[in-house]
Amino acid sequence: MPESPSPSSQQTTVRDAALATVEGVLAAAELDFASPRPGVFSFDLPGERKLSTPCQLAVGDHTLAVHAFVCRKPDENHEGVHRWLLSRNLRLCGVAFGIDHNGDIYLDGRLSLAAVTAAEVDRLLGAVLAYADESFNTILELGFASSIRKEWEWRRSRGESTRNLDAFSGWLERDSKSL
C-alpha cells in the first residue's frame, strides 16, 4: 500500500503554492515589492484620495495575512473615528479596520492557504485599495479637523494654494462663513 503524504509535506506544498501565487499576482500587477524575510511581501498600492497604501502580505503555515497602513493615530475625536471604523467594518468583505498599540489605523485580513488563488489575492488587494482610498478623507475629517482647519486658514491668510485641501472645502468654507 503506498504511503500517503505526511501532513507537514502537504502543508509545505500548499504554502509553496501560495507563495508562488502571491509572487505571480504582484508581478502581474507590476507592483514593486520587497521580501524582507521569507514569505513576507511589502509593497505600496497606488490610490487616488490616499495616494499610497503601504501593504504587507505574509504567507504563514496556515494563512495568508494582509496588513495595510491606512492612517496614523487621530489627533482628536478618537471615539468618533473608532465608532465610524466599527460601523464601516459591517460592510467590508475580506478585511476589517483595526488599530495597533499606537492607535494607528490598519486594514487587516486573513485567508486560509487552501483558498489562495490569483483571483482571491487580486480581490483581497482590490478590497484593501478601495476601502483605504474611499475611507481616507472621512477618517481625516473626523480625526484631524482642527489641523485641517488651521492649515486652511493659514494658507488662505497668506494667499497660498489650498488645492490639496479641496476634498474638505465644503465644510471648511461653511465653517469660515459661520465665524
Side-chain angles (χ1 to χ4, degrees), residues 10-154:
Q10 287 176 341
Q11 184 178 13
T12 301
T13 304
V14 172
R15 185 171 188 276
D16 290 342
L19 284 165
T21 299
V22 168
E23 273 195 64
V25 168
L26 295 176
E30 298 180 357
L31 292 171
D32 290 328
F33 65 90
S35 192
R37 56 190 184 279
V40 177
F41 304 89
S42 298
F43 54 94
D44 290 335
L45 289 174
E48 292 178 20
R49 292 176 196 98
K50 180 171 175 35
L51 298 180
S52 179
T53 299
C55 289
Q56 187 177 79
L57 290 174
V59 181
D61 290 336
H62 304 286
T63 60
L64 169 65
V66 61
H67 312 285
F69 176 78
V70 177
C71 187
R72 70 177 174 84
K73 177 183 176 181
D75 288 345
E76 60 195 18
N77 190 21
H78 300 98
E79 184 179 322
V81 172
H82 296 163
R83 183 182 311 111
W84 186 85
L85 293 172
L86 287 171
S87 67
R88 185 82 172 105
N89 278 345
L90 294 173
R91 297 188 309 271
L92 302 184
C93 181
V95 294
F97 284 106
I99 57 171
D100 69 4
H101 64 281
N102 294 316
D104 294 340
I105 301 167
Y106 287 82
L107 281 165
D108 197 78
R110 284 173 185 61
L111 280 178
S112 166
L113 287 186
V116 174
T117 64
E120 277 301 299
V121 174
D122 185 61
R123 184 192 63 75
L124 191 62
L125 294 179
V128 167
L129 179 57
Y131 300 149
D133 206 52
E134 65 194 27
S135 301
F136 190 63
N137 286 347
T138 301
I139 293 168
L140 294 180
E141 286 179 34
L142 291 170
F144 300 92
S146 296
S147 296
I148 293 168
R149 188 174 294 106
K150 285 178 188 172
E151 179 73 12
W152 170 269
E153 290 168 358
W154 182 81

